[in-house]
Amino acid sequence: MDLLLEKFKKLGVDSAPGQEQRQAESNAESNLDVRGEVISGIAVDFSHGDVDAFKPLPGSLEKFIDGYYVGGHQAYTEYRGGANSREDVSTVLSEYTGAGIDPNNEIILTPGTQGALFLAMGSMIARGDKVVIVEPDYFANRKLAEFFEAEIVSVHMDYFKSSNLAGIDLKELEDIFKAGAKLFLFSNPNNPTGAIYSEEEISSIATLAKKYNVALIVDELYSRQIFDNKKYTHLCALKEKPENMVTIIGPSKTESLSGFRLGVAFGSSNIIQRMEKLQAIVSLRAAGYCQAVFKVWFREPVGFMAERIKQHEIIRDALVNKLKAVPGISVRSTDAGSYLFPTLPDLDVSITDFVKIVRKLTGVTVTPGTEFGPEFTHSFRINFSQDSQAALDAIDRLLVIMERYRSK
Amino acid sequence: MDLLLEKFKKLGVDSAPGQEQRQAESNAESNLDVRGEVISGIAVDFSHGDVDAFKPLPGSLEKFIDGYYVGGHQAYTEYRGGANSREDVSTVLSEYTGAGIDPNNEIILTPGTQGALFLAMGSMIARGDKVVIVEPDYFANRKLAEFFEAEIVSVHMDYFKSSNLAGIDLKELEDIFKAGAKLFLFSNPNNPTGAIYSEEEISSIATLAKKYNVALIVDELYSRQIFDNKKYTHLCALKEKPENMVTIIGPSKTESLSGFRLGVAFGSSNIIQRMEKLQAIVSLRAAGYCQAVFKVWFREPVGFMAERIKQHEIIRDALVNKLKAVPGISVRSTDAGSYLFPTLPDLDVSITDFVKIVRKLTGVTVTPGTEFGPEFTHSFRINFSQDSQAALDAIDRLLVIMERYRSK
């Protein structure tokens, strides 16, 4: 079982968002260097958005109920999703992205965007292939590549360089592509920093991918929540896009529909077809009744999205101001999405221990930077889609704890 | 992309249940030897049960709605499923199977039993391992083994041998185990034949698995719908069970909850832990709100299951009598579940073509035997969880078509 155990050793979930409860149960904290007293306050889980603070899109439960009463036809869709849902979603996404999407051949509905990512990567690489991943980027990207026994090549992103671009090292990316890569996978806006790639960056990535025949997965999960009217470029709509590419998006974040587990991948028909074959053995389909909920997506009441974005802007600004006021902390303000990824000064404990200590002493959960790339030993990620006051208080408590560990 | 394409060539879904609509769209029928006129009647899709004829368990939608209103705590469960749901399900399954299940470490809630199968196999084998699969058995078992690049070894089952056992060749199984196998995966009741393994068969499998250190996956998906008060043996409750084993079950079949995509795997804690790690990158979790629906499972109103079983017995008997009356057709009556797997006489067309022709001429969908093992070139599978009259009429039409193709 050596090959198997080796593979799973790389798939740790203990520090993954949402798993903190199990970690607590495993008594991993027993050797922690815990300093000082507990600071009480409302527990806040920054590892994901709070769908109680920002409720699911209006009408989502009603559409689910409608789907339930449709009966067997809704329960047993094709593996790539029901034809009606695929048509609906293709229409709104074609309009949203500017890419024309053929509902019959170029789209698949999946159990969440995680499902889409898994199916996409599983359909685009084989073991030994080189997969290019940004540092920092979504933690599961690396784990997926490990699971499929790919070789991971990192490309770096200097997200503190300028607020007008993501800061990806395009020279490094070209060198990597030139040396032979099968797939480049990245999130835009970037998870965990909330940086949007500039038009020039996106256009360069497309051109390089086409030139060196590298397939692309573009994760646009948080692309609808754009602040300060920043410009966003959909790579899938560019003329220079490569032949093999898939775009991933879903209603779990800004729209708070995570409890229904819905995601979408659209792009090259040959890849979508392979994704469906894989879906057939992975989980058959996104839950049939849940697929009916897609009907509310991109059809929100007038003003709904603008208001939601505005509320998030306010929380973001308050948190950024608070963090920036602390000596030794750097943070880039979020362009889009609900993440912040501050850098801390040197502490007496590792970032993973710090995160555990903070949870123990304050009831506040954040995700350690090392989940997003091995070099991020001084960062943590928060999802600030939370009750505003609870979030601000929680960060206050975290900062008090931080001072207890600041290196002299 | 050779390794990748090769892998996906083995993952065909065109003949898989539920995909017939796409097949039709692909004009695969253009070269069919179509004889005679269309016979009209109510379209029946025997590839899966009809949840309109046999409705979802009472209260399931209500529990979903309750779950939705619980909010964030229900939307974002641990990857292995919410603690409350795991406790509920462990309690009823411990009672049902006689195996003690620790809700914290020995159970995972999955997106359908397909999800459970995928996670289990992915957590128990690595490429090159030998996986033993029954002929005939559930079509996805072979595809999963192919996807994980395992070596498939077939063990045969003479399901016409006796109605008191499944007919698995235990001598052959021991020879295979002795030659070195990593995993044995089988469904009980068997899909597609509906045969129940006898107590002696199950006990022998357990003993052999332990003796030769072979891991087990036992798929008990249809084990609650047992006819004629037959005896059913849960391998997981036997003293002689092997160290590494997982049992799979879910509420998608008899309980008609397929539209919620819910499944369960329970067993060895080290395997369950790996399954959770895999779930974290495959689809995160079974849809959070859907998990709330587990509350109705095994808590049906008094008499509900007995009545559902009785109704299926009546349909089964009518279909078996009808099929047995036709010269050249053999069929084993179902011990449990809703499948029949008749053997046909020689026809002028292949079974895959016959299935396509039947659908074209009668609107009746059945699954070709070759999905369940390459040798089943004269068989098809039906799921008779259907409206009774529609099902009987549909089989009448199929039989008329069959006569048009009977070899002289």
Side-chain angles (χ1 to χ4, degrees), chain B residues 242-253:
Chain B
E243 193 184 324
N244 291 307
M245 84 162 283
V246 158
T247 304
I248 284 169
I249 189 166
S252 288
K253 299 294 184 186

Side-chain angles (χ1 to χ4, degrees), chain B residues 6-269:
Chain B
E6 197 185 316
K7 209 163 153 178
F8 276 87
K9 226 162 63 186
K10 296 174 183 165
L11 283 186
V13 291
D14 280 356
S15 295
Q19 291 303 100
E20 296 79 10
Q21 195 184 336
R22 287 202 71 73
Q23 192 187 59
E25 286 163 6
S26 74
N27 295 319
E29 281 108 327
S30 50
N31 291 319
L32 291 180
D33 169 17
V34 179
R35 301 180 186 172
E37 296 301 306
V38 163
I39 313 175
S40 58
I42 297 169
V44 173
D45 185 352
F46 283 113
S47 72
H48 57 75
D50 180 355
V51 299
D52 299 325
F54 291 96
K55 302 274 187 206
L57 290 186
S60 52
L61 178 62
E62 289 73 11
K63 292 296 177 197
F64 180 94
I65 294 170
D66 290 349
Y68 175 87
Y69 284 115
V70 167
H73 191 66
Q74 186 74 47
Y76 286 91
T77 71
E78 290 168 72
Y79 301 144
R80 61 175 68 199
N84 290 343
S85 301
R86 277 185 283 118
E87 271 174 36
D88 280 353
V89 175
S90 296
T91 302
V92 295
L93 286 181
S94 292
E95 191 178 325
Y96 171 65
T97 62
I101 304 166
D102 169 3
N104 282 323
N105 299 301
E106 295 178 343
I107 190 166
I108 182 168
L109 312 180
T110 59
T113 49
Q114 186 65 50
L117 263 179
F118 180 85
L119 298 176
M121 203 185 270
S123 301
M124 292 167 86
I125 58 163
R127 91 182 109 85
D129 285 341
K130 282 186 187 159
V131 173
V132 187
I133 293 180
V134 179
E135 285 198 20
D137 211 327
Y138 178 48
F139 51 88
N141 294 356
R142 268 174 201 78
K143 291 174 186 174
L144 281 165
E146 299 276 13
F147 181 75
F148 290 117
E149 301 179 58
E151 184 185 328
I152 297 175
V153 187
S154 295
V155 58
H156 296 85
M157 185 180 117
D158 180 6
Y159 52 98
F160 283 116
K161 195 171 172 183
S162 159
S163 63
N164 294 317
L165 37 74
I168 187 171
D169 187 335
L170 289 166
K171 174 71 179 61
E172 187 183 36
L173 189 70
E174 176 157 17
D175 290 345
I176 291 167
F177 281 9
K178 205 182 287 182
K182 176 68 80 180
L183 172 70
F184 176 40
L185 156 65
F186 69 104
S187 55
N188 181 26
N190 173 262
N191 175 352
T193 65
I196 292 181
Y197 286 75
S198 70
E199 186 172 12
E200 291 69 29
E201 287 176 314
I202 290 297
S203 158
S204 298
I205 290 168
T207 304
L208 290 173
K210 189 160 194 165
K211 179 172 177 188
Y212 295 104
N213 196 27
V214 176
L216 289 182
I217 301 176
V218 186
D219 176 355
E220 299 197 347
L221 181 53
Y222 246 134
S223 65
R224 294 187 74 197
Q225 189 170 296
I226 294 180
F227 301 127
D228 314 317
N229 292 312
K230 292 230 174 188
K231 185 178 167 68
Y232 183 93
T233 310
H234 294 281
L235 199 153
C236 56
L238 298 186
K239 275 198 305 283
E240 56 265 44
K241 74 178 169 190
E243 193 184 324
N244 291 307
M245 84 162 283
V246 158
T247 304
I248 284 169
I249 189 166
S252 288
K253 299 294 184 186
T254 309
E255 301 87 347
S256 300
L257 300 184
S258 183
F260 296 99
R261 293 275 76 215
L262 293 169
V264 171
F266 63 90
S268 317
S269 61

Side-chain angles (χ1 to χ4, degrees), chain A residues 307-347:
Chain A
E307 177 60 26
R308 184 155 282 199
I309 289 169
K310 198 174 120 198
Q311 290 173 332
H312 281 88
E313 267 174 354
I314 294 169
I315 303 174
R316 174 200 64 168
D317 290 343
L319 285 169
V320 167
N321 290 338
K322 191 181 282 294
L323 290 163
K324 281 194 169 165
V326 180
I329 291 188
S330 324
V331 65
R332 172 178 172 150
S333 184
T334 317
D335 299 329
S338 296
Y339 296 122
L340 282 171
F341 194 57
T343 307
L344 303 183
D346 284 341
L347 303 180

Side-chain angles (χ1 to χ4, degrees), chain A residues 209-284:
Chain A
K210 188 160 194 166
K211 180 172 177 188
Y212 296 104
N213 196 26
V214 176
L216 290 181
I217 300 177
V218 185
D219 176 354
E220 299 196 347
L221 181 52
Y222 246 134
S223 65
R224 294 188 75 197
Q225 189 169 296
I226 294 180
F227 301 127
D228 315 316
N229 293 313
K230 292 230 173 189
K231 186 176 166 68
Y232 183 92
T233 310
H234 295 280
L235 199 153
C236 56
L238 297 186
K239 275 197 305 282
E240 55 266 43
K241 73 178 170 190
E243 195 184 323
N244 291 307
M245 83 163 284
V246 159
T247 304
I248 284 169
I249 189 166
S252 288
K253 298 292 183 187
T254 309
E255 301 87 347
S256 300
L257 300 183
S258 183
F260 297 100
R261 293 272 77 214
L262 292 170
V264 172
F266 62 91
S268 317
S269 62
N270 60 327
I271 300 171
I272 299 295
Q273 190 175 20
R274 288 202 291 270
M275 288 174 72
E276 178 175 47
K277 288 183 175 190
L278 191 47
Q279 178 121 299
I281 59 167
V282 169
S283 64
L284 294 186

Side-chain angles (χ1 to χ4, degrees), chain A residues 41-47 362-366 383 386-387 390-391 394 397:
Chain A
I42 297 171
V44 173
D45 184 352
F46 283 112
S47 71
T362 69
V364 174
T365 302
V366 303
N383 184 320
Q386 308 286 345
D387 175 81
R397 301 205 297 284

Side-chain angles (χ1 to χ4, degrees), chain A residues 17 22 78-79 104 127 149, chain B residues 17 22 78-79 127 149:
Chain A
R22 287 202 72 73
E78 291 169 70
Y79 301 144
N104 283 322
R127 92 181 107 86
E149 302 180 57
Chain B
R22 287 202 71 73
E78 290 168 72
Y79 301 144
R127 91 182 109 85
E149 301 179 58

